[in-house]
Amino acid sequence: MHRGRYYTLTASCPDRTGIIARVTGFFAEHQGWILESSFHADDESARYFMRIEIKADSLPFMLATLRERFRPIAEELEMDWKITDSAVKKRVVVLVSKQEHCLYDLLARWQSKELDIEIPCVIANHDTFRGFVEWHGIPFHHVPVTPENKVKAYAEVRRLIDEVRADSIVLARYMQILSGELCDAYPCRILNIHHSFLPSFVGAKPYHQAWQRGVKLIGATCHYVTAELDQGPIIEQDVIRIDHSDSPEDMVRYGKDIEKTVLARGLRYHLEDRVLVHGHKTIVFR
Amino acid sequence: MHRGRYYTLTASCPDRTGIIARVTGFFAEHQGWILESSFHADDESARYFMRIEIKADSLPFMLATLRERFRPIAEELEMDWKITDSAVKKRVVVLVSKQEHCLYDLLARWQSKELDIEIPCVIANHDTFRGFVEWHGIPFHHVPVTPENKVKAYAEVRRLIDEVRADSIVLARYMQILSGELCDAYPCRILNIHHSFLPSFVGAKPYHQAWQRGVKLIGATCHYVTAELDQGPIIEQDVIRIDHSDSPEDMVRYGKDIEKTVLARGLRYHLEDRVLVHGHKTIVFR
Amino acid sequence: MHRGRYYTLTASCPDRTGIIARVTGFFAEHQGWILESSFHADDESARYFMRIEIKADSLPFMLATLRERFRPIAEELEMDWKITDSAVKKRVVVLVSKQEHCLYDLLARWQSKELDIEIPCVIANHDTFRGFVEWHGIPFHHVPVTPENKVKAYAEVRRLIDEVRADSIVLARYMQILSGELCDAYPCRILNIHHSFLPSFVGAKPYHQAWQRGVKLIGATCHYVTAELDQGPIIEQDVIRIDHSDSPEDMVRYGKDIEKTVLARGLRYHLEDRVLVHGHKTIVFR
Amino acid sequence: MHRGRYYTLTASCPDRTGIIARVTGFFAEHQGWILESSFHADDESARYFMRIEIKADSLPFMLATLRERFRPIAEELEMDWKITDSAVKKRVVVLVSKQEHCLYDLLARWQSKELDIEIPCVIANHDTFRGFVEWHGIPFHHVPVTPENKVKAYAEVRRLIDEVRADSIVLARYMQILSGELCDAYPCRILNIHHSFLPSFVGAKPYHQAWQRGVKLIGATCHYVTAELDQGPIIEQDVIRIDHSDSPEDMVRYGKDIEKTVLARGLRYHLEDRVLVHGHKTIVFR
């Protein structure tokens, strides 16, 4: 919980001695006030990951200069890096179908500013939530998807996303499988909520699969979307207890409660630049 | 998960041999099809509790006749009992203040018919959610409460509740303490969500209390409202893990996620007649 | 929590009206005091399941007579049924390898009588825990298993199990795959603890599999052993949260805590006749 | 999960810019390889906390020299600090009474080296576990405590603790209240497991208190012991779900499973120097 503007540096680089000292030394030199810092060494790949929040007004220069001054250090350490600014609201496009729970949940968080983002538009393959979304003052686009029109429909989805310069796309129980092309266009920027504890029950009707197998807990998984169905890097997961008396329909109902919570947590980590992707896994600096 | 209409018998009586046989024998005699049945003996008080769902069209008579025929058995067993009808929607009045999460959550469940209830009106001590509630086609009443007008304000709340013949009243983060008179008027019909794991942190600002004490989990409690603050029978509780890096404001945010889930679960148990009150405790036949 | 001796009837039969009335009517007729009762209808298979505990001394006859008198009802209802006696301690053979956590945990529960069973022997494919087991006064049999001697070794395991007339066999992290013949010899009597949240990560090194996939929770599953590896009916499961900083070795360590707890819970349900197997799923009357 | 020897620096100091840079700069200067690092700023007190693990053989000098060289930095930053050595096993004295679960659990972890500590002795106010403890090759001291002999008994306990130069003392369900003098003698070195979710149900028979109140979850709390009963800084907590069918005796049984797990987790954090005490709260760098 921060008050005031801050910058967030996220970076990864080959592991070696002196990384933290080099990076934090740079900030110390300029009287930068570090609000929060997290570090992780991945032993297997010998790669180092970090996330640092710096109070914006503690630095004697603006963001552009910060980036410019930091660049030589990043190059020296062979970093993948970025610095974001808390004053620039993230722009998140939401895709939905006919299920309400994730959409209501996201809009509740948005309207109360718990999620301090812009939602430039909602795109849906059904017209169900037009009134609800528009009542909130958010543009709503109905883009039906059929086996025949997929190419054209996804081109339209892409056009809408690009038109509003979305940072991130959230599939809030969007019941269509995105084209590989669309997935590849926004790497690590599309978040999905899958209604199972992956890798169990990939694909369609996971609650029915869970019921058939007789598991005693059901789950939900928030992950980045890649071209390979339900195989993207996992950001967050959770489970809920069920028992023999629960039908697949009961599981669907219970599942909604964890789906929306897991999606909201995963989205928050993503928007706060807490998620660093490493191959097909994630580092999440909570 | 039932399809079709059913009746729900809930009852408690002094424990003795033959209770289940007597009650289920009555239904068997009339070819009543039992969908679900739960029984509990409380050893300390020697009292017996039960809940039975019967398929409505398996019985050869209507609800009024069922009640009439069952009455002698209930009297013989000295039962407190009632039989409800799944075809009669419960009428639930919702009271809110300025926090959105429980209200959005309840309306999402209501509009999708996950909660198959009527919400005859929402009453609020702030005007914040008028537009949102009215967009859903639900009447909204703004009844401000001040130290000076309390008696009059609660009389108005009571009038509104009675006018719509509410079965139940839900305090969905309603930030006023109801008068003892109002509490007493609707015994075991007013549900509150308290934002702590009761009995810890009774009263105001429980997350700040939790932060001061340094607990590692925070919780929420759904309970029936009685005249004694935060002391009513507990229906449902849950917790979420926090750590030293979480400020009271973070806890407030995390807490919302369990508050709305715990309230929704508790309300569902209540509406499905799964909660039997026994002194200041509950039996919940999930 | 019961004091005094009781009988436990578990039964399943085709669903129809009047089952509970018929069964509880029989007990009522003989003044049988029902301590606990649970019922479940499986809609898909139209099969009915029940578990009833009756106070032994409330009945005017002994167990043999009870069984004899109940038989006609069971036949009329086409029941699979059994009645067990709390006064007859279950005999549980434990199989272990070199990991300590489940063994220590089971013996702690056994020595404090939390698990009120007999452990006629422990069988191990390593000699590691001989001293520890024998110190507790329990016979220890070291039966090494190699690719070459499997047939003979499992014949010996079977002989030892039969010799002590074991009711149940617990694989307390026994690191050998039982032969199909051995599995088939004790249907629904061998319990295993698998160190993953099945159906995820079947087979060897599940924690390494979990680490590779980058899941955010790891689990454990207690299930009945069938000839098909890790596919038997699931009795109990649980999970624990991990994050990116946890190595496979950390997961092994965390995992132990849920493995032993899940095994102990599953075993308790099994020993108290709370688990009814229905195809490859279980009904667990907790 | 580290292989090889490492040093652990834990420190707290007034917050200012440049702390991380100063400390990690020192290590970088000497080619110190940082294995793990955690930082936390407490906004309310403006105090900064850190924990850093450094690979021992990456430094060109021994521990004594490391401490000497680090001292000026620590003084400059006004630090409370210490550096521990993974090669020096912690010495942990365990106090027990008549309950087995925490003792078995700790000895299982100790014998498998999951807890890589020395247990120089077990002290008990009952003789129950003499054989079990001695079988493990650990000295066992029976020090009965009565209302009359308390002063003398606790003097003896203290003598035994000091004799073996214990680093830490674990009350593994030791059912006596330590004297204030004994508590004060080992600040932040005595860990207790309390069988409730503190601050609920302080004092005796917490499960009975929980049962009386009708809570839906019960918990356990690992905390440092201070002279004020059950009020010391909380290290770790967890809960487990119960329902109306559970008697206080059932809760005692369920509770054991979380008590031993919570104690083991809290103890591990403590032994790995992951717990920094700040007033009556803790920072736990997991």
Side-chain angles (χ1 to χ4, degrees):
Chain A
M1 175 58 51
H2 306 297
R3 288 163 209 92
R5 184 178 179 179
Y6 60 94
Y7 303 132
T8 304
L9 165 70
T10 48
S12 74
C13 61
D15 204 355
R16 34 155 289 192
T17 57
I19 297 172
I20 309 181
R22 191 80 186 83
V23 172
T24 61
F26 165 79
F27 289 117
E29 194 186 320
H30 298 290
Q31 305 302 319
W33 183 278
I34 292 178
L35 290 162
E36 195 179 315
S37 60
S38 307
F39 304 94
H40 173 64
D42 184 70
D43 291 341
E44 200 196 33
S45 62
R47 203 159 174 84
Y48 203 73
F49 299 84
M50 72 178 64
R51 180 183 181 279
I52 299 178
E53 292 181 8
I54 313 104
K55 225 172 165 164
D57 63 11
S58 70
L59 289 171
F61 37 62
M62 305 297 279
L63 181 54
T65 311
L66 169 60
R67 284 183 178 134
E68 192 185 301
R69 300 265 178 107
F70 187 71
R71 190 175 315 273
I73 296 167
E75 283 171 2
E76 175 194 328
L77 295 170
E78 300 171 70
M79 274 184 170
D80 285 335
W81 65 289
K82 67 173 178 180
I83 301 177
T84 58
D85 180 351
S86 71
V88 179
K89 285 196 191 187
K90 300 278 174 72
R91 300 172 64 78
V92 180
V93 166
V94 179
L95 272 69
V96 294
S97 292
K98 290 193 292 190
Q99 288 198 50
E100 77 297 339
H101 55 295
C102 291
L103 179 65
Y104 265 75
D105 190 72
L106 290 173
L107 291 199
R109 294 173 199 267
W110 166 82
Q111 79 82 25
S112 70
K113 301 204 188 311
E114 181 198 307
L115 272 183
D116 197 16
I117 57 173
E118 285 181 35
I119 302 182
C121 69
V122 169
I123 303 171
N125 61 331
H126 292 275
D127 212 37
T128 318
F129 292 112
R130 175 179 297 280
F132 179 70
V133 169
E134 290 182 348
W135 183 85
H136 282 86
I138 298 171
F140 180 92
H141 303 291
H142 179 204
V143 183
V145 180
T146 64
E148 293 74 35
N149 82 344
K150 276 206 172 169
V151 173
K152 215 178 129 192
Y154 286 138
E156 173 65 3
V157 167
R158 192 162 170 183
R159 194 189 64 74
L160 290 166
I161 290 170
D162 292 343
E163 190 178 65
V164 298
R165 291 165 293 109
D167 298 295
S168 306
I169 300 101
V170 173
L171 310 187
R173 294 304 310 276
Y174 182 70
M175 302 302 278
Q176 292 289 329
I177 296 168
L178 296 191
S179 63
E181 193 198 21
L182 204 51
C183 297
D184 291 342
Y186 308 100
C188 298
R189 287 168 57 195
I190 311 177
L191 287 85
N192 184 42
I193 179 71
H194 183 75
H195 42 318
S196 90
F197 182 67
L198 290 174
S200 290
F201 312 131
V202 166
K205 290 194 166 270
Y207 293 126
H208 285 76
Q209 295 182 50
W211 182 81
Q212 287 291 350
R213 183 60 185 93
V215 293
K216 301 301 183 188
L217 301 164
I218 53 171
T221 302
C222 177
H223 64 95
Y224 286 121
V225 173
T226 58
E228 207 180 340
L229 183 64
D230 298 334
Q231 298 296 319
I234 293 170
I235 304 169
E236 174 65 342
Q237 302 187 288
D238 214 340
V239 296
I240 195 168
R241 189 163 284 275
I242 52 158
D243 73 18
H244 59 266
S245 70
D246 294 309
S247 66
E249 291 74 24
D250 291 325
M251 292 184 192
V252 166
R253 178 166 55 75
Y254 285 125
K256 285 176 170 188
D257 286 353
I258 37 174
E259 289 163 30
K260 67 189 179 196
T261 310
V262 167
L263 175 59
R265 283 207 297 255
L267 179 58
R268 166 173 288 273
Y269 298 149
H270 168 80
L271 293 172
E272 293 182 353
D273 301 302
R274 296 183 179 278
V275 187
L276 283 75
V277 174
H278 179 39
H280 59 288
K281 308 207 305 190
T282 61
I283 287 94
V284 181
F285 289 125
R286 268 174 296 195
Chain B
M1 175 56 54
H2 305 296
R3 287 162 210 92
R5 184 177 179 179
Y6 61 93
Y7 303 131
T8 304
L9 165 70
T10 48
S12 74
C13 62
D15 203 355
R16 34 155 287 192
T17 57
I19 297 172
I20 309 181
R22 192 79 186 86
V23 172
T24 62
F26 164 79
F27 289 117
E29 192 185 321
H30 299 291
Q31 306 302 317
W33 184 278
I34 292 178
L35 291 162
E36 196 181 315
S37 60
S38 309
F39 305 93
H40 172 65
D42 183 71
D43 290 342
E44 199 196 35
S45 62
R47 201 157 175 85
Y48 202 74
F49 299 84
M50 73 178 66
R51 178 183 182 279
I52 298 178
E53 292 181 7
I54 313 104
K55 223 171 166 164
D57 64 10
S58 70
L59 288 170
F61 37 62
M62 306 296 280
L63 181 55
T65 310
L66 169 58
R67 284 181 178 135
E68 192 185 302
R69 299 266 178 106
F70 187 72
R71 189 174 317 273
I73 295 167
E75 283 172 2
E76 176 194 327
L77 296 170
E78 299 170 72
M79 277 183 168
D80 286 335
W81 65 288
K82 68 174 175 178
I83 302 177
T84 59
D85 180 352
S86 70
V88 179
K89 286 196 191 186
K90 299 278 173 75
R91 301 172 63 78
V92 180
V93 166
V94 178
L95 272 69
V96 294
S97 291
K98 289 194 291 190
Q99 289 198 50
E100 77 298 337
H101 54 296
C102 291
L103 179 65
Y104 264 75
D105 190 72
L106 290 173
L107 291 198
R109 293 172 200 268
W110 166 83
Q111 80 82 24
S112 71
K113 301 208 187 313
E114 181 198 309
L115 271 183
D116 198 16
I117 57 173
E118 284 181 36
I119 302 182
C121 68
V122 169
I123 303 171
N125 62 330
H126 293 275
D127 212 37
T128 318
F129 293 113
R130 175 180 296 281
F132 179 71
V133 169
E134 290 182 349
W135 182 85
H136 282 86
I138 299 170
F140 180 92
H141 304 290
H142 179 204
V143 183
V145 179
T146 63
E148 294 73 36
N149 83 344
K150 276 206 172 168
V151 173
K152 214 177 131 195
Y154 286 137
E156 174 64 3
V157 167
R158 192 162 171 183
R159 194 190 63 75
L160 289 166
I161 291 170
D162 291 343
E163 188 178 66
V164 298
R165 290 164 295 109
D167 297 295
S168 305
I169 300 101
V170 173
L171 309 186
R173 296 303 311 277
Y174 182 70
M175 302 301 279
Q176 292 289 331
I177 296 169
L178 296 190
S179 64
E181 192 198 21
L182 203 50
C183 297
D184 291 343
Y186 308 101
C188 300
R189 287 167 57 194
I190 311 178
L191 287 86
N192 184 42
I193 179 71
H194 183 75
H195 41 319
S196 89
F197 182 68
L198 291 173
S200 290
F201 312 132
V202 164
K205 290 195 167 271
Y207 293 126
H208 285 75
Q209 294 182 51
W211 183 82
Q212 287 292 351
R213 182 61 184 91
V215 293
K216 302 301 183 187
L217 302 164
I218 53 171
T221 303
C222 177
H223 64 96
Y224 286 120
V225 173
T226 58
E228 206 180 342
L229 183 65
D230 299 333
Q231 298 297 320
I234 293 170
I235 303 169
E236 175 65 343
Q237 303 186 290
D238 215 340
V239 295
I240 195 168
R241 189 163 285 274
I242 52 159
D243 72 18
H244 59 266
S245 69
D246 295 309
S247 66
E249 290 74 23
D250 291 324
M251 292 185 192
V252 167
R253 177 166 56 76
Y254 285 124
K256 285 176 171 188
D257 285 353
I258 37 173
E259 288 163 29
K260 67 190 178 196
T261 310
V262 167
L263 175 58
R265 284 207 297 256
L267 179 58
R268 167 173 287 272
Y269 299 149
H270 169 79
L271 293 172
E272 293 182 352
D273 301 302
R274 295 182 180 279
V275 188
L276 283 75
V277 174
H278 179 41
H280 60 288
K281 308 208 303 191
T282 62
I283 287 95
V284 180
F285 289 124
R286 272 176 291 197
Chain C
M1 177 54 54
H2 305 297
R3 288 164 208 92
R5 182 177 181 180
Y6 60 95
Y7 304 131
T8 304
L9 165 70
T10 48
S12 73
C13 63
D15 203 355
R16 34 155 286 190
T17 57
I19 298 172
I20 309 181
R22 191 79 186 86
V23 172
T24 61
F26 165 79
F27 290 117
E29 194 186 318
H30 298 290
Q31 305 304 318
W33 184 278
I34 293 179
L35 290 162
E36 195 180 315
S37 60
S38 308
F39 305 94
H40 173 65
D42 184 71
D43 292 341
E44 200 197 32
S45 62
R47 202 159 174 85
Y48 203 74
F49 299 84
M50 73 177 65
R51 179 183 182 279
I52 298 178
E53 291 180 7
I54 313 104
K55 226 172 164 163
D57 64 10
S58 70
L59 289 170
F61 37 62
M62 306 296 278
L63 181 55
T65 311
L66 169 59
R67 284 181 178 135
E68 190 184 303
R69 300 265 178 108
F70 187 71
R71 190 174 317 273
I73 296 167
E75 283 171 2
E76 175 194 327
L77 296 170
E78 299 170 71
M79 276 183 167
D80 286 336
W81 65 289
K82 68 173 177 180
I83 300 176
T84 59
D85 180 352
S86 70
V88 179
K89 286 196 190 187
K90 300 278 173 73
R91 302 172 63 79
V92 180
V93 166
V94 179
L95 272 70
V96 293
S97 292
K98 291 194 291 190
Q99 289 199 52
E100 77 298 339
H101 54 295
C102 290
L103 179 66
Y104 264 75
D105 190 72
L106 290 173
L107 291 199
R109 293 173 200 268
W110 166 82
Q111 80 82 25
S112 70
K113 299 204 188 314
E114 180 198 309
L115 271 184
D116 197 16
I117 57 173
E118 284 181 35
I119 302 182
C121 69
V122 169
I123 304 172
N125 61 330
H126 293 275
D127 212 37
T128 318
F129 293 112
R130 175 180 297 279
F132 179 71
V133 169
E134 290 183 349
W135 181 86
H136 283 87
I138 298 171
F140 180 92
H141 304 291
H142 179 203
V143 183
V145 179
T146 64
E148 293 74 34
N149 82 345
K150 276 205 171 168
V151 172
K152 216 178 127 192
Y154 286 138
E156 174 64 4
V157 167
R158 192 163 169 182
R159 194 191 63 75
L160 289 165
I161 290 169
D162 292 342
E163 188 178 67
V164 298
R165 290 165 294 109
D167 298 295
S168 306
I169 299 101
V170 173
L171 310 187
R173 295 302 310 278
Y174 181 69
M175 302 301 278
Q176 292 289 331
I177 296 169
L178 295 191
S179 64
E181 194 199 20
L182 203 51
C183 297
D184 292 343
Y186 308 100
C188 299
R189 287 167 57 194
I190 311 178
L191 287 85
N192 184 43
I193 179 71
H194 183 75
H195 41 320
S196 89
F197 183 67
L198 289 174
S200 290
F201 311 131
V202 165
K205 290 194 164 270
Y207 292 126
H208 286 76
Q209 295 183 50
W211 183 82
Q212 287 292 351
R213 183 61 185 93
V215 293
K216 302 300 183 189
L217 301 163
I218 53 170
T221 303
C222 177
H223 64 95
Y224 286 120
V225 174
T226 58
E228 207 180 341
L229 183 65
D230 298 335
Q231 298 296 319
I234 294 171
I235 303 169
E236 175 65 339
Q237 303 187 290
D238 215 340
V239 296
I240 195 168
R241 189 163 284 273
I242 52 158
D243 72 19
H244 59 266
S245 69
D246 294 309
S247 66
E249 291 74 23
D250 291 325
M251 292 185 193
V252 167
R253 177 166 55 76
Y254 285 124
K256 284 176 171 187
D257 285 352
I258 37 173
E259 289 162 30
K260 67 190 178 196
T261 309
V262 167
L263 175 58
R265 283 206 297 255
L267 179 58
R268 168 173 286 273
Y269 298 150
H270 169 79
L271 293 172
E272 292 182 353
D273 300 302
R274 296 183 180 278
V275 187
L276 282 75
V277 174
H278 178 41
H280 60 288
K281 308 208 303 191
T282 61
I283 287 95
V284 180
F285 289 125
R286 271 174 294 197
Chain D
M1 176 55 54
H2 306 295
R3 288 164 208 90
R5 185 178 178 179
Y6 60 94
Y7 304 131
T8 303
L9 164 70
T10 47
S12 74
C13 61
D15 203 355
R16 35 154 287 193
T17 57
I19 298 173
I20 309 181
R22 192 80 187 84
V23 172
T24 62
F26 165 79
F27 289 117
E29 195 185 319
H30 299 290
Q31 305 304 319
W33 184 278
I34 292 178
L35 290 162
E36 196 179 314
S37 60
S38 308
F39 304 94
H40 172 63
D42 184 70
D43 291 341
E44 200 197 33
S45 62
R47 200 157 177 85
Y48 203 73
F49 300 83
M50 73 178 66
R51 179 185 182 278
I52 299 178
E53 291 181 7
I54 313 104
K55 226 171 163 161
D57 63 11
S58 69
L59 289 170
F61 37 63
M62 305 296 279
L63 181 54
T65 312
L66 169 59
R67 284 181 179 136
E68 191 185 302
R69 301 265 178 108
F70 187 72
R71 191 176 316 273
I73 296 167
E75 283 170 3
E76 175 193 328
L77 296 170
E78 299 171 70
M79 275 183 169
D80 286 335
W81 65 289
K82 68 173 177 181
I83 301 177
T84 59
D85 180 352
S86 71
V88 179
K89 286 198 190 185
K90 301 276 173 74
R91 301 171 63 77
V92 180
V93 166
V94 178
L95 272 70
V96 294
S97 291
K98 289 194 292 190
Q99 289 198 51
E100 78 297 340
H101 55 296
C102 290
L103 178 65
Y104 265 74
D105 191 73
L106 290 173
L107 291 198
R109 294 172 199 268
W110 166 83
Q111 79 82 25
S112 70
K113 301 205 185 313
E114 182 198 309
L115 271 182
D116 198 16
I117 57 174
E118 284 181 36
I119 302 181
C121 69
V122 169
I123 303 173
N125 62 330
H126 292 275
D127 212 37
T128 317
F129 292 113
R130 175 179 297 280
F132 179 70
V133 169
E134 291 182 347
W135 182 86
H136 283 86
I138 299 170
F140 180 92
H141 304 290
H142 179 204
V143 183
V145 179
T146 63
E148 294 73 37
N149 82 344
K150 276 205 171 170
V151 173
K152 213 177 129 195
Y154 287 137
E156 174 65 2
V157 167
R158 192 162 169 183
R159 194 189 63 75
L160 289 166
I161 291 170
D162 291 343
E163 188 178 65
V164 297
R165 291 164 293 109
D167 297 296
S168 306
I169 299 101
V170 174
L171 310 187
R173 297 301 312 278
Y174 181 70
M175 303 302 279
Q176 292 290 331
I177 296 168
L178 295 190
S179 64
E181 192 199 21
L182 203 51
C183 298
D184 291 342
Y186 308 101
C188 300
R189 288 168 56 196
I190 311 178
L191 287 86
N192 184 41
I193 180 72
H194 183 75
H195 42 320
S196 89
F197 183 68
L198 290 174
S200 289
F201 312 132
V202 165
K205 290 196 165 268
Y207 293 126
H208 285 76
Q209 294 182 50
W211 183 82
Q212 287 292 350
R213 182 62 184 90
V215 293
K216 301 301 184 187
L217 302 163
I218 53 170
T221 303
C222 177
H223 64 96
Y224 287 119
V225 173
T226 58
E228 205 180 342
L229 183 66
D230 298 334
Q231 298 297 320
I234 293 170
I235 303 169
E236 175 65 341
Q237 302 187 289
D238 215 339
V239 295
I240 195 169
R241 190 163 285 275
I242 52 158
D243 72 18
H244 59 266
S245 69
D246 295 308
S247 65
E249 290 74 24
D250 291 325
M251 292 185 192
V252 166
R253 177 166 56 75
Y254 285 124
K256 285 176 171 186
D257 286 352
I258 36 173
E259 289 163 29
K260 67 189 177 194
T261 310
V262 167
L263 175 58
R265 284 206 297 256
L267 179 58
R268 167 173 286 273
Y269 298 150
H270 168 79
L271 294 171
E272 293 183 352
D273 300 303
R274 296 183 179 278
V275 188
L276 283 76
V277 174
H278 178 42
H280 60 287
K281 307 208 304 190
T282 61
I283 287 94
V284 180
F285 289 124
R286 271 176 292 198

